[in-house]
Amino acid sequence: MSDDLIKEVEEEQRLLRLRSMALRVGGVLVVLLVLAGVAGGVWGWQQHRLHTAQAVASDRYFEAMKLLGDLNALPSAESDARQKAEGIFSDLAQSAPQGVRSYAAMYLAELKEQDHDRSTALKLWQQVVDDRASERSLALMAQYRLLNARMGIAPRDELRRGYQALVQTGGSWAPLAKEGLAVLDLRDDAKPEERAEARRLLLEVQTSADSTDDLRRRAGLLLQTLGEAG
């Protein structure tokens, strides 16, 4: 009888330990489930906010585009419409969600360039380059516009590195960057070897399948200048 009693007590203690463990594990699971539910709710709420903000920003972006598109029909309202459009783009460039923010900054930079406000345009292009959320194509375009706008202002070595980096990206950026490199080598005090390098680059631009017709035409004009020069 004593052996049976001992076994019974041991079995009861084992069951008690299992119940205690189950309660602890169950409590942890409940907490984890609650936390997962909260996290999922927060994520869903954040996604909803993001989509809503993007929709609102997109509507404002196209409102600014429409204002600029209506300028031809209402030339008398050009100043007010352009000012309002620039104001919208400026707000979006600072506070819009990713995507719309970079597009607005790029469009505003072009408007500022047209207004001969190059310092503001340079800041906006640099903003797009530095914004990690920018689409790659927009960031590359901003980098290219920065290099072109700083031609004659920035150190030549710095510009050369920038154009060479664009050449490495390939595609349509390569011939555009090669054109920039050629222009760097066509300064008045260029050495013969630099002019030879410019000629080589321009010939590559003319024969590249990624070059546009306008780019080939510009390369041809520059080659004619080289021919006349020497």
Side-chain angles (χ1 to χ4, degrees), residues 72-149:
N72 291 332
L74 297 170
S76 60
E78 179 175 354
S79 178
D80 290 341
R82 187 182 180 92
Q83 186 175 0
K84 185 175 181 180
E86 288 189 3
I88 293 174
F89 283 134
S90 181
D91 288 343
L92 293 175
Q94 296 303 317
S95 58
Q98 61 186 33
V100 178
R101 180 172 65 243
S102 296
Y103 277 99
M106 288 296 292
Y107 211 108
L108 181 59
E110 296 301 328
L111 292 176
K112 292 300 182 182
E113 177 78 351
Q114 293 173 16
D115 293 339
H116 306 291
D117 185 357
R118 178 158 293 186
S119 62
T120 300
L122 289 172
K123 291 177 182 177
L124 289 163
W125 286 320
Q126 189 65 57
Q127 173 186 320
V128 176
V129 171
D130 295 338
D131 190 347
R132 294 185 178 182
S134 296
E135 292 182 13
R136 178 170 169 77
S137 59
L138 284 182
L140 290 173
M141 183 182 295
Q143 180 65 30
Y144 176 72
R145 296 293 283 120
L146 266 175
L147 290 167
N148 287 355

Side-chain angles (χ1 to χ4, degrees), residues 51-214:
H51 292 321
T52 301
Q54 285 176 330
V56 172
S58 296
D59 287 343
R60 295 197 68 207
Y61 180 88
F62 287 112
E63 177 189 352
M65 293 287 289
K66 185 176 185 303
L67 285 168
L68 295 175
D70 290 342
L71 293 181
N72 291 332
L74 297 170
S76 60
E78 179 175 354
S79 178
D80 290 341
R82 187 182 180 92
Q83 186 175 0
K84 185 175 181 180
E86 288 189 3
I88 293 174
F89 283 134
S90 181
D91 288 343
L92 293 175
Q94 296 303 317
S95 58
Q98 61 186 33
V100 178
R101 180 172 65 243
S102 296
Y103 277 99
M106 288 296 292
Y107 211 108
L108 181 59
E110 296 301 328
L111 292 176
K112 292 300 182 182
E113 177 78 351
Q114 293 173 16
D115 293 339
H116 306 291
D117 185 357
R118 178 158 293 186
S119 62
T120 300
L122 289 172
K123 291 177 182 177
L124 289 163
W125 286 320
Q126 189 65 57
Q127 173 186 320
V128 176
V129 171
D130 295 338
D131 190 347
R132 294 185 178 182
S134 296
E135 292 182 13
R136 178 170 169 77
S137 59
L138 284 182
L140 290 173
M141 183 182 295
Q143 180 65 30
Y144 176 72
R145 296 293 283 120
L146 266 175
L147 290 167
N148 287 355
R150 298 179 68 214
M151 186 76 73
I153 301 173
R156 291 178 67 252
D157 289 345
E158 180 182 328
L159 294 172
R160 188 178 298 279
R161 287 193 298 270
Y163 282 122
Q164 287 172 341
L166 280 178
V167 170
Q168 295 303 314
T169 65
S172 60
W173 296 110
L176 285 167
K178 288 179 180 179
E179 178 190 41
L181 288 170
V183 171
L184 285 176
D185 286 332
L186 289 177
R187 67 188 192 282
D188 293 339
D189 61 343
K191 299 176 182 178
E193 56 269 25
E194 291 174 326
R195 290 183 175 275
E197 175 65 7
R199 181 179 287 105
R200 183 188 70 80
L201 289 167
L202 292 170
L203 288 172
E204 287 186 0
V205 170
Q206 277 197 319
T207 58
S208 172
D210 293 314
S211 294
T212 63
D213 291 339
D214 285 342

